[in-house]
Amino acid sequence: MSDEINQDSDSKTQEPRLWRDKGWTARVIKNEDDEGWAVAMIKDDEPEPALVGPWTMGRDKKNPKPLDANAFGTLVKTASEVIRRHEQQLHAILHKSLMVSTDTADFKISLDIVPDDDDPYAMLSAHDADNTQLAKVRVAPTFKLTKASATTWIENEFRKPD
């Protein structure tokens, strides 16, 4: 029985209010905020929609316009872009780096935050111009990586910051 369920979830669905293909499901839903309709785009195995947006009314001005191949393709592209932007934003928040030049060398200092639910932390690391790792220490996830904090860390011979 479970094989039948898996096959069903992998197959295409092309109904007026429900399309499933390419790892995505588009579902036309009643817009709770007004008289209109909305479409929700859900990536397979995700609990929440990646995108919810207004959907066009049909010719009768009561029912939604049916989904079609062109609309579904556009929705997949848009929802994929939303996810990509979200991932880029999260990466930018969790991974920071900067270059610090001293009288003796240039250093790339990086801070990588690990957002663990129970024990979040960050790793502060230093690399030289050849990308050889010179130091790596665990710091609080609230550590602020700035030119000043990086310079101080270098001047303190990469000892763990307070």
Side-chain angles (χ1 to χ4, degrees):
M1 184 69 174
S2 64
D3 287 340
E4 290 177 32
I5 293 169
N6 289 339
Q7 287 175 349
D8 287 346
S9 67
D10 291 339
S11 64
K12 283 186 185 181
T13 302
Q14 295 181 343
E15 299 172 5
R17 294 187 189 178
L18 176 70
W19 275 56
R20 187 174 288 129
D21 193 13
K22 302 177 186 171
W24 287 94
T25 299
R27 184 180 308 274
V28 176
I29 54 177
K30 187 78 174 124
N31 187 340
E32 300 299 326
D33 295 334
D34 65 22
E35 300 285 320
W37 294 88
V39 63
M41 288 299 295
I42 304 167
K43 189 166 175 66
D44 285 359
D45 301 321
E46 291 296 323
E48 297 290 324
L51 174 71
V52 177
W55 189 244
T56 307
M57 296 289 270
R59 291 180 187 203
D60 66 3
K61 303 296 182 204
K62 283 169 60 177
N63 293 305
K65 179 180 167 187
L67 287 163
D68 61 31
N70 289 337
F72 184 76
T74 300
L75 289 165
V76 167
K77 184 177 178 182
T78 303
S80 297
E81 182 65 20
V82 168
I83 289 175
R84 189 180 69 76
R85 285 187 196 148
H86 175 73
E87 289 169 347
Q88 286 176 331
Q89 180 183 19
L90 185 60
H91 182 82
I93 290 169
L94 298 177
H95 306 283
K96 299 184 184 309
S97 66
L98 51 84
M99 297 298 294
V100 177
S101 295
T102 67
D103 292 338
T104 57
D106 294 333
F107 300 94
K108 179 182 176 187
I109 308 298
S110 300
L111 181 69
D112 296 297
I113 299 172
V114 180
D116 186 279
D117 287 338
D118 297 323
D119 185 25
Y121 64 93
M123 296 303 293
L124 183 63
S125 61
H127 290 79
D128 65 13
D130 294 326
N131 207 29
T132 301
Q133 184 173 299
L134 304 172
K136 187 172 189 176
V137 296
R138 184 175 170 141
V139 295
T142 54
F143 182 86
K144 300 290 183 217
L145 180 60
T146 63
K147 286 262 191 203
S149 66
T151 302
T152 300
W153 187 47
I154 294 165
E155 289 169 353
N156 289 329
E157 299 176 351
F158 306 110
R159 285 191 292 278
K160 184 175 178 176
D162 296 328

